[in-house]
Amino acid sequence: MKDLEMLWYEAKEFIAVCYQELGKRGEEAKQRLEDIKNEIDQTGSYVHTREELEHGAKMAWRNSNRCIGRLFWNSLNVIDRRDARTKEEVRDALFQHIETATNNGKIKPTITIFPPECQGEKQIEIWNHQLIRYAGYESEEGRIGDPASASLTAACEKLGWRGERTDFDLLPIVFRLKGEAHPVWYELPRSLVIEVPLSHPEIESFSDLELKWYGVPIISDMKLEIGGIHYNAAPFNGWYMGTEIGARNLADEKRYDMLKKIASIMGIAADFNTDLWKDQALVELNKAVLYSYKKHGVSIVDHHTAASQFKRFEEQEEEAGRKLTGDWTWLIPPISPASTHIFHRCYDNTIVKPNYFYQDKPYQ
Ligand code: ARG
């Protein structure tokens, strides 16, 4: 299929479902499609109404097979910034996203949508994986920070940014505008970024580890696709599920790799697999994460509650007469997976659009 045929095909599919879900009459959808057809013929593309954009972004979340948090898809806060053009406007919209989404700790699932690709050309190219993320460095003296950020951190330093080399340096915001040879970067205002120092409800020495994590995960490198329109710059966030931090970010050997140190402050030996010291350390680390976020008034969900919420989502989709899709390998939590219902059933991993997609990194 040629590009424009494809666009028209995708637009038809989207408008039909979107307008039906919004309770609009068939007549209205028919009229809208006629207008879209003309607009595509005349301009090579079409512009979503605010209503289409908002509902499309919500549908994309609902269709995100790997996400356990989809019960709340319909309450997504959609910020339309298709008007943003200059680097100052983009920067300020990104800062505004952080502030609005953080909401003093009572996190609001939010997406900010920038101008879409035009004939396959990006208007704005965001380099960050998440708007808030810790830098990572590999040097002769060893590793510092988050190894997952090593290549972006190196790219930032090539652009003239220089990190302090703590384990928790905040990466700057980095993006490139169409027509510019190089991206611009801006340091995040510290006042916008909530971080949670980790302590444990019983183990007092836990805080000696001086661990912390940021409050809001804002994915900024995925492409939102709605009705054939490609919103390559559309950062979005929910709140954390505790295991993302406690069983992966701080625990994975290729991330902060903290399990041995946690076993040590717990006073347990880390010598024999059969002692299950890793499992014990994982549980206490995850308790510390949930306890600390709660204590600091930052939204978070544990994996048992998240799984129950996902069960409600499954039921809700059934009632709405929609087919549920999901990716079992991602939906199961990384600790105690078999203690959730998700482990014990299967999911159809078909990709339905609108959806969020990975895209190539502009650096490396
Ligand atoms: N797993 C990623 C992280 O640990 C965040 C992915 C999105 N998570 C979310 N709860 N919305 O940073």
Side-chain angles (χ1 to χ4, degrees), residues 67 129-130 133 213-214 217 219 236-241 244-245 248-249 255:
C67 176
H129 160 59
Q130 294 181 26
R133 195 73 162 158
W213 203 255
Y214 52 87
I219 301 291
F236 60 83
N237 72 278
W239 48 77
Y240 265 115
M241 180 163 84
E244 298 183 84
I245 303 164
R248 302 299 314 280
N249 302 346
R255 301 292 299 285

Side-chain angles (χ1 to χ4, degrees), residues 107-361:
I107 298 173
K108 280 198 253 179
T110 299
I111 183 167
T112 299
I113 304 178
F114 289 105
E117 289 177 8
C118 181
Q119 268 124 224
E121 191 181 18
K122 294 176 171 51
Q123 311 297 296
I124 297 160
E125 178 184 82
I126 300 177
W127 284 30
N128 306 79
H129 160 59
Q130 294 181 26
L131 295 185
I132 303 170
R133 195 73 162 158
Y134 298 124
Y137 314 84
E138 285 164 45
S139 70
E140 282 110 70
E141 295 96 79
R143 325 186 99 160
I144 303 174
D146 191 345
S149 296
S151 60
L152 177 58
T153 304
C156 288
E157 296 212 311
K158 260 199 183 152
L159 294 169
W161 178 81
R162 171 94 191 161
E164 287 174 42
R165 280 163 173 70
T166 74
D167 279 325
F168 301 98
D169 291 354
L170 291 175
L171 283 166
I173 295 276
V174 195
F175 60 87
R176 189 181 62 80
L177 295 186
K178 178 183 66 182
E180 299 286 332
H182 299 288
V184 287
W185 58 265
Y186 299 99
E187 208 69 75
L188 286 176
R190 300 286 326 190
S191 61
L192 286 184
V193 180
I194 292 194
E195 293 181 291
V196 178
L198 300 188
S199 59
H200 188 283
E202 295 106 32
I203 307 171
E204 270 169 36
S205 55
F206 194 96
S207 36
D208 297 345
L209 294 168
E210 295 189 33
L211 292 175
K212 61 175 174 179
W213 203 255
Y214 52 87
V216 192
I218 312 171
I219 301 291
S220 50
D221 59 357
M222 290 181 84
K223 170 186 285 188
L224 164 60
E225 192 185 328
I226 304 173
I229 304 294
H230 293 235
Y231 297 98
N232 68 287
F236 60 83
N237 72 278
W239 48 77
Y240 265 115
M241 180 163 84
T243 55
E244 298 183 84
I245 303 164
R248 302 299 314 280
N249 302 346
L250 296 177
D252 280 5
E253 286 180 7
K254 292 188 168 167
R255 301 292 299 285
Y256 281 79
D257 191 20
M258 293 300 301
L259 296 186
K260 271 213 173 114
K261 286 182 188 132
I262 289 165
S264 157
I265 61 116
M266 287 171 69
I268 60 174
D271 302 313
F272 304 105
N273 284 338
T274 48
D275 285 346
L276 302 188
W277 63 270
K278 279 191 184 177
D279 310 70
Q280 241 182 306
L282 273 167
V283 168
E284 299 311 331
L285 171 55
N286 277 275
K287 279 168 65 179
V289 168
L290 294 167
Y291 169 80
S292 308
Y293 273 63
K294 180 98 210 287
K295 180 172 157 188
H296 286 84
V298 179
S299 306
I300 195 157
V301 66
D302 67 84
H303 50 293
H304 302 291
T305 305
S308 313
Q309 290 168 345
F310 190 70
K311 184 86 184 37
R312 280 173 58 204
F313 173 68
E314 292 175 16
E315 290 158 5
Q316 193 174 282
E317 290 306 285
E318 174 87 44
E319 268 165 47
R322 287 187 289 262
K323 282 194 189 137
L324 173 75
T325 59
D327 182 345
W328 187 93
T329 66
W330 275 62
L331 288 170
I332 54 163
I335 53 175
S336 313
S339 72
T340 69
H341 79 285
I342 302 172
F343 186 89
H344 303 277
R345 58 159 290 182
C346 24
Y347 295 91
D348 167 15
N349 194 19
T350 303
I351 306 300
V352 180
K353 291 180 188 176
N355 214 319
Y356 298 96
F357 295 95
Y358 292 144
Q359 42 189 348
D360 291 339
K361 290 196 193 332

Side-chain angles (χ1 to χ4, degrees), residues 79-101 110-115 124 126 131 173 175 186 188 192 218 233-237:
I79 303 176
D80 178 8
R81 290 311 310 271
R82 289 175 294 173
D83 61 315
R85 294 288 177 278
T86 67
K87 50 189 192 292
E88 291 79 16
E89 284 168 346
V90 173
R91 176 198 63 197
D92 293 346
L94 293 172
F95 290 171
Q96 188 61 57
H97 183 119
I98 295 176
E99 189 168 350
T100 304
T110 299
I111 183 167
T112 299
I113 304 178
F114 289 105
I124 297 160
I126 300 177
L131 295 185
I173 295 276
F175 60 87
Y186 299 99
L188 286 176
L192 286 184
I218 312 171
F236 60 83
N237 72 278

